[in-house]
């Protein structure tokens, strides 16, 4: 009798479920409050729509980076803490190329090579925005992917390949080391100062998305690039032989080996896709924010991890959905809390999901 | 010369030796069973032939070629198919994708072989778009066999294909193995269900503590008083 009661109690209200319930109640109240605010006009439809748009922008960027993190987790079986610094690598290498091409005749080469580490000609003087310098900015985007891929392959060759069977914890710790090396090598060359690199984004009122008066063209570039790349990854994974092999290896590495799937080639493809997307994400973050700093990726990494965990670690679709939820949460929460604290909303949601669905929203449903 | 000849094979995992001087022959088109008590090293023999254990000595030749030091991705190209006992499918891939993975080493998926696998296992064609992980145990076993048949191997190695299946499915699985063998593929099978395996096979080996103990036709082993007493429960 006593044991049955105890068991009943344990499944009914564990402390974490109690905490989760309170958290869930809080979320429900906030959502209801959001409706009330919109209905009573406390929050204008315009303001809400701009929060939602920002949420989409942030969510897609985080999602782009989260795909790679999720893939390295499911195929190489470790949580890669240097992923954020691959994002930073993409930002610096890509913008360096954009400056080399776009700043010809405005600033001298050394200033452009080091991305205004000397405080040289301002981005405004260079007209560094998408309409004035489309070729420079698109070249930078492509180079961000290429350079990040090369860096990731070099790191794999130097570090991770030698410890392929070392286990998740050893690899994780190695990746923390890689993260620190990458970050401070970047700081060594580009200095640790935060600086503006893009001119203010041109606005267009031609198409009115999200009921706003005009639309920021840098954010639009970002959203379009992110959606195209995500679609590309989806098609690649579902319909190409390599994509199927990647999913197979994520499913069952030993069987993949016995089936004759070249596991090292799959690993290389994983780095190429994951690092390429991370580099592009870093480049686009800077396009949107306008400023660059050596620990940009490191700070983004927490949100990337939150997205991956929220969606169910190992699932790229989960990572994208998780990232969109995180992006919306950090922006819509601005209705109630100041911007300095808005990441609380992201991690609060993550805790909530972990309490009620420990494997994540898509956990165990879909790998790779 | 046999198709597969294993002689004096020593192998194990890490520093731990499991097999000591195993001898085994499978002729082209033959059906050979390995039986024996738990822990005798039956599955280890198969894994060793496929290059998945630590090689410690002896020789393995397949079609007159030494394969004992080759990695699994090379061995698969020689004409040996292997269906492991557990985790032998890709659960989140569809049935068709699982079969396609079986032919990964070829430049393209041979449609005629896919056709033959579907003819052999019609349920796989009906469910080709279903995720393999959501199928029943018996159907998953068909996916696994179908995958290894995609390369049209000369020798198919099956590690306990009937393990964990309901009794009526055990019979069906053995029937399918018979059919595969009737079509000309040599079969090497490891079975816990020793009596059934010995009834069906051409020849059998009784493996005890990592070495051959008895070797004869299936019928003769079943009739042997000592084998019955020691290994077949009387």
């Amino acid at each position: 009798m006593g044991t049955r009661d105890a068991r009943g109690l344990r499944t009914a209200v564990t402390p974490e479920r109690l905490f989760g319930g309170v958290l869930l109640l809080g979320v429900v109240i906030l959502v209801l409050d959001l409706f009330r605010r919109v209905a009573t006009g406390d929050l204008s439809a315009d303001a809400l729509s701009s929060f939602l748009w920002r949420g989409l922008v942030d969510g897609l960027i985080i999602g782009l980076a989260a795909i790679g993190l999720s893939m390295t987790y499911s195929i190489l079986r470790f949580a890669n803490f240097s992923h954020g610094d691959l994002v930073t690598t993409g930002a610096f290498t890509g913008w360096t190329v954009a400056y080399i091409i776009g700043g010809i005749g405005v600033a001298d080469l050394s200033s452009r090579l080091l991305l205004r580490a000397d405080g040289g000609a301002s981005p405004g003087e260079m007209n560094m925005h998408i309409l004035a310098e489309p070729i420079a900015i698109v070249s930078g985007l492509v180079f961000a992917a290429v350079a990040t891929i090369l860096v990731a392959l070099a790191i794999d060759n130097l570090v991770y390949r030698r410890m392929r069977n070392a286990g998740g914890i050893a690899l994780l710790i190695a990746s923390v080391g890689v993260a620190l090396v990458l970050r401070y090598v970047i700081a060594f060359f580009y200095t640790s100062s935060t600086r503006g690199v893009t001119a203010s984004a041109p606005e267009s009122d031609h198409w009115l998305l999200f009921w706003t008066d005009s639309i920021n063209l840098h954010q639009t570039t970002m959203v379009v690039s992110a959606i195209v790349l995500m679609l590309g990854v989806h098609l690649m994974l579902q319909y190409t032989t390599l994509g199927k092999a990647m999913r197979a290896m994520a499913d069952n590495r030993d069987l993949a080996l016995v089936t004759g799937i070249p596991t090292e080639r799959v690993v290389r493809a994983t780095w190429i896709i994951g690092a390429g997307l991370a580099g592009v994400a870093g480049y686009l973050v800077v396009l949107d924010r306008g400023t660059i700093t050596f620990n940009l990726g490191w700070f983004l990494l927490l949100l990337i991890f939150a997205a991956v965990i929220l969606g169910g670690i190992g699932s790229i679709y989960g990572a994208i959905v998780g990232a969109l939820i995180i992006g919306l949460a950090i922006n819509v929460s601005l209705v109630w809390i100041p911007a300095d604290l808005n990441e609380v909303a992201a991690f609060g949601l993550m805790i909530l999901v972990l309490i009620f669905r420990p494997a994540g929203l898509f956990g165990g449903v879909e790998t790779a | 010369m046999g198709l597969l000849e294993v002689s004096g094979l020593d192998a194990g995992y890490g520093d731990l030796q499991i097999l000591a001087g195993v001898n085994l022959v499978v002729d082209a088109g033959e059906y050979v069973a390995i039986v024996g008590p738990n822990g005798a090293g039956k599955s280890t023999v198969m894994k060793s032939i496929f290059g998945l254990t630590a090689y410690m000595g002896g020789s393995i030749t397949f079609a007159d070629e030494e394969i004992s030091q080759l990695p699994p991705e090379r061995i698969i190209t020689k004409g040996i198919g292997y269906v492991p006992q557990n985790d032998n499918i890709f659960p989140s891939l569809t049935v068709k994708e699982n079969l396609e993975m079986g032919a990964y080493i070829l430049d393209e998926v041979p449609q005629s072989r896919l056709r033959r696998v579907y003819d052999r296992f019609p349920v796989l064609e009906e469910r080709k778009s279903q995720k393999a992980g959501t199928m029943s145990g018996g159907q998953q076993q068909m996916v696994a066999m179908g995958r290894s048949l995609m390369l049209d191997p000369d020798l198919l190695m099956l590690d306990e294909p009937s393990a964990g299946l309901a009794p009526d499915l055990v019979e069906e699985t053995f029937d399918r193995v018979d059919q595969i063998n009737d079509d000309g593929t040599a079969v090497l099978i490891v079975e816990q269900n020793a009596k059934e395996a010995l009834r069906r096979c051409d020849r059998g080996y009784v493996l005890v503590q990592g070495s051959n103990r008895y070797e004869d036709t299936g019928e003769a082993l079943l009739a042997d008083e000592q084998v019955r007493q020691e290994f077949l429960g009387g």
Side-chain angles (χ1 to χ4, degrees), chain A residues 74-345:
Chain A
S74 59
I75 290 172
L76 287 116
R77 308 243 165 247
F78 76 102
N80 181 11
F81 271 76
S82 66
H83 198 71
D85 297 289
L86 290 176
V87 171
T88 316
T89 306
F92 276 93
T93 52
W95 281 104
T96 300
V97 166
Y99 263 57
I100 290 174
I101 297 174
I104 294 172
V106 186
D108 56 40
L109 185 66
S110 63
S111 165
R112 274 144 58 207
L113 271 177
L114 294 178
L115 268 185
R116 302 187 57 237
D118 61 348
S122 78
E125 291 170 57
M126 280 188 227
N127 252 331
M128 196 48 86
H129 64 71
I130 186 79
L131 289 184
E133 293 288 351
I135 295 171
I137 287 183
V138 172
S139 311
L141 181 79
V142 173
F143 192 77
V146 173
T148 312
I149 288 168
L150 292 178
V151 168
L153 288 177
I155 292 170
D156 184 56
N157 214 23
L158 278 171
V159 184
Y160 303 129
R161 190 168 61 85
R162 291 154 204 277
M163 25 191 325
R164 215 51 108 204
N165 298 312
I169 299 296
L171 281 160
L172 183 154
I173 293 168
S175 79
V176 174
V178 169
L180 290 166
V181 170
L182 257 182
R183 194 176 326 148
Y184 288 101
V185 166
I186 291 171
F188 178 78
F189 285 105
Y190 287 97
T191 78
S192 58
S193 73
T194 303
R195 51 199 179 265
V197 287
T198 69
S200 50
E203 307 262 326
S204 162
D205 48 11
H206 287 307
W207 353 291
L208 297 179
L209 270 170
F210 278 82
W211 313 278
T212 44
D213 293 340
S214 66
I215 197 148
N216 174 318
L217 284 184
H218 282 176
Q219 290 176 356
T220 316
T221 309
M222 229 206 63
V223 168
V224 171
S225 318
I227 290 175
V228 167
L229 286 169
M230 283 174 180
L231 211 61
V233 171
H234 162 72
L235 293 175
M236 198 280 302
L237 277 179
Q238 293 303 323
Y239 301 109
T240 69
T241 311
L242 179 67
K244 288 173 193 173
M246 293 176 92
R247 286 188 287 136
M249 193 166 156
D251 256 15
N252 190 338
R253 178 150 64 160
D254 293 337
L255 188 61
L257 192 69
V258 197
T259 311
I261 292 173
T263 50
E264 276 303 307
R265 199 184 309 162
V266 173
V267 165
R268 210 177 312 134
T270 307
W271 282 118
I272 289 175
I273 295 166
L277 294 179
V280 168
Y283 184 81
L284 291 174
V285 164
V286 174
L287 180 68
D288 173 34
R289 291 186 189 165
T291 58
I292 199 165
T293 176
F294 79 107
N295 50 24
L296 136 168
W298 177 244
F299 287 143
L300 209 56
L301 185 66
L302 274 180
L303 289 175
I304 299 170
F305 264 115
V308 169
I309 291 168
L310 191 70
I313 194 152
S315 156
I316 71 143
Y317 304 103
I320 294 172
V321 172
L324 288 171
I325 293 175
I326 297 278
L328 287 174
I330 57 179
N331 285 291
V332 174
S333 65
L334 294 175
V335 173
W336 304 279
I337 54 179
D340 289 347
L341 301 177
N342 65 350
E343 289 187 5
V344 166

Side-chain angles (χ1 to χ4, degrees), chain B residues 149-228:
Chain B
L149 288 174
M150 286 298 288
L151 288 178
D152 200 9
D154 298 318
L155 170 68
L156 182 61
M157 301 197 296
L158 301 165
D159 194 350
E160 307 225 5
S162 77
L165 297 182
D168 51 326
L169 285 174
V170 170
E171 195 68 17
E172 199 185 315
T173 303
F174 274 109
D175 287 345
R176 291 186 192 290
V177 176
D178 282 351
Q179 284 163 22
I180 292 170
N181 181 237
D182 289 344
D183 291 346
T185 307
V187 171
L188 179 62
I189 192 172
V190 160
E191 260 297 329
Q192 199 64 252
N193 195 340
K195 281 183 185 170
E196 187 64 32
L198 290 178
R199 257 195 288 279
R200 305 237 182 191
C201 70
D202 298 323
R203 282 187 311 114
Y205 291 85
V206 180
L207 199 71
V208 181
Q209 290 180 344
S211 305
N212 301 58
R213 179 70 62 87
Y214 301 99
E215 170 198 341
D216 213 326
T217 63
E219 285 159 21
L221 286 172
L222 277 172
D224 188 304
E225 193 56 33
Q226 210 164 355
V227 173
R228 291 182 73 92

Side-chain angles (χ1 to χ4, degrees), chain A residues 244 247 251-252 259 262 367, chain B residues 87 90-92 97 100-101 104:
Chain A
K244 288 173 193 173
R247 286 188 287 136
D251 256 15
N252 190 338
T259 311
T367 27
Chain B
D87 298 326
F90 299 113
S92 78
E97 287 169 344
E100 287 170 357
M101 283 301 114
Y104 187 91

Side-chain angles (χ1 to χ4, degrees), chain B:
Chain B
M1 276 304 258
L3 178 66
L4 174 75
E5 295 198 0
V6 177
S7 60
L9 178 66
D10 300 335
Y13 304 101
D15 291 331
L16 179 67
Q17 185 172 354
I18 307 279
L19 303 181
V22 170
N23 298 306
L24 180 97
V25 176
V26 181
D27 286 322
E30 203 181 15
Y31 185 169
V32 174
I34 305 174
V35 300
N38 280 331
K42 304 187 294 288
S43 297
T44 308
V45 171
M46 254 178 206
K47 288 183 185 156
S48 303
I49 294 169
F50 216 71
L52 293 168
T53 59
Y55 168 82
M56 296 169 180
S59 97
I60 306 171
T61 63
F62 185 76
D64 298 332
E65 189 182 350
E66 182 68 36
I67 60 165
S68 55
Q69 313 272 11
L70 295 183
E73 63 268 27
R74 292 283 307 285
I75 291 174
I76 195 167
T77 63
K78 306 288 176 192
I80 303 182
Y82 169 51
V83 180
Q85 180 184 351
N86 300 311
D87 298 326
N88 52 20
I89 58 159
F90 299 113
S92 78
L93 269 60
T94 65
V95 170
K96 182 157 183 263
E97 287 169 344
N98 264 277
L99 297 178
E100 287 170 357
M101 283 301 114
Y104 187 91
I105 60 168
L106 305 178
D107 289 335
E108 59 183 299
V109 179
Q111 293 305 316
S112 59
R113 287 190 197 155
L114 190 62
R115 186 69 258 152
R116 289 234 301 275
V117 170
Y118 281 153
D119 288 343
R120 198 184 286 285
F121 308 109
V123 67
L124 298 189
E125 185 168 25
E126 286 163 33
R127 302 188 172 216
K128 61 183 176 189
S129 305
Q130 189 177 334
K131 287 210 190 323
T134 63
M135 300 175 91
S136 71
Q139 289 165 347
Q140 292 189 6
Q141 195 66 43
M142 290 184 215
V143 173
M145 281 192 204
R147 195 198 61 250
S148 62
L149 288 174
M150 286 298 288
L151 288 178
D152 200 9
D154 298 318
L155 170 68
L156 182 61
M157 301 197 296
L158 301 165
D159 194 350
E160 307 225 5
S162 77
L165 297 182
D168 51 326
L169 285 174
V170 170
E171 195 68 17
E172 199 185 315
T173 303
F174 274 109
D175 287 345
R176 291 186 192 290
V177 176
D178 282 351
Q179 284 163 22
I180 292 170
N181 181 237
D182 289 344
D183 291 346
T185 307
V187 171
L188 179 62
I189 192 172
V190 160
E191 260 297 329
Q192 199 64 252
N193 195 340
K195 281 183 185 170
E196 187 64 32
L198 290 178
R199 257 195 288 279
R200 305 237 182 191
C201 70
D202 298 323
R203 282 187 311 114
Y205 291 85
V206 180
L207 199 71
V208 181
Q209 290 180 344
S211 305
N212 301 58
R213 179 70 62 87
Y214 301 99
E215 170 198 341
D216 213 326
T217 63
E219 285 159 21
L221 286 172
L222 277 172
D224 188 304
E225 193 56 33
Q226 210 164 355
V227 173
R228 291 182 73 92
Q229 288 287 330
E230 280 182 72
F231 306 109
L232 302 176

